[in-house]
């Protein structure tokens, strides 16, 4: 079981996951294209030994994109704690340059909201697709989140 301390929840709520220190360090950005969720800019710091975008950079973008999607879809996260339980991915093609993400929720957000209101918790799988600046499909991922309501003390 997750033991979440209320002190951590009293911090100001964020507007976007790109405000998280790790995501700032990585350089994740809101996508320029409104049809996309987030983007990872092109840069030598993201390259691996083959000169393509490193697997870890792609996974960071996929995980953050799923969180950004949930943040936008759920809206008010007061008293709600989301935690990634699992991330499964498949690398499809080598990634070059800037990457962008698209996200979908196969079961829809209403079922998640209903479970949160009736059970106080939900498990949701968010599907993320990454494409590079040439349009190549570089990664498919499923990010499973455990979301719980925390009782205020």
């Amino acid at each position: 079981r997750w033991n979440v301390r209320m002190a951590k929840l009293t911090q100001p709520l964020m507007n976007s996951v790109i405000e998280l220190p790790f995501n700032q360090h990585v350089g994740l950005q809101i996508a320029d294209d409104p049809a996309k969720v987030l983007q990872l800019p092109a840069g030598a710091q993201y390259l691996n030994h083959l000169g393509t975008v490193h697997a870890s950079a792609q996974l960071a973008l996929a995980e953050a994109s799923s969180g950004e999607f949930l943040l936008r879809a759920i809206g008010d996260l007061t008293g709600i704690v989301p935690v990634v339980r699992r991330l499964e991915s498949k690398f499809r093609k080598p990634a070059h340059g800037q990457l962008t993400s698209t996200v979908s929720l196969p079961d829809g957000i209403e079922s998640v909201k209903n479970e949160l209101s009736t059970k106080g918790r939900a498990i949701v799988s968010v599907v993320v697709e990454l494409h590079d600046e040439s349009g190549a499909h570089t990664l498919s991922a499923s990010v499973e989140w455990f979301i719980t309501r925390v009782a205020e003390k």
Side-chain angles (χ1 to χ4, degrees), residues 59-125:
L59 292 170
L61 177 59
E63 185 274 342
S65 296
S66 70
E68 180 71 16
F69 174 82
L70 288 175
L71 180 61
R72 293 177 189 179
I74 293 173
D76 183 13
L77 293 181
T78 303
I80 294 175
V81 177
V83 178
V84 172
R85 286 181 46 154
R86 178 183 326 200
L87 190 154
E88 295 181 7
S89 64
K90 180 175 182 177
F91 295 94
R92 299 191 169 274
K93 297 212 174 178
H96 300 278
Q98 177 177 281
L99 303 182
T100 56
S101 62
T102 57
V103 179
S104 62
L105 189 61
D107 296 330
I109 196 64
E110 289 309 313
S111 65
V112 175
K113 289 180 177 180
N114 287 340
E115 280 191 51
L116 277 173
S117 66
T118 59
K119 297 179 183 175
R121 65 188 181 284
I123 293 176
V124 58
S125 290

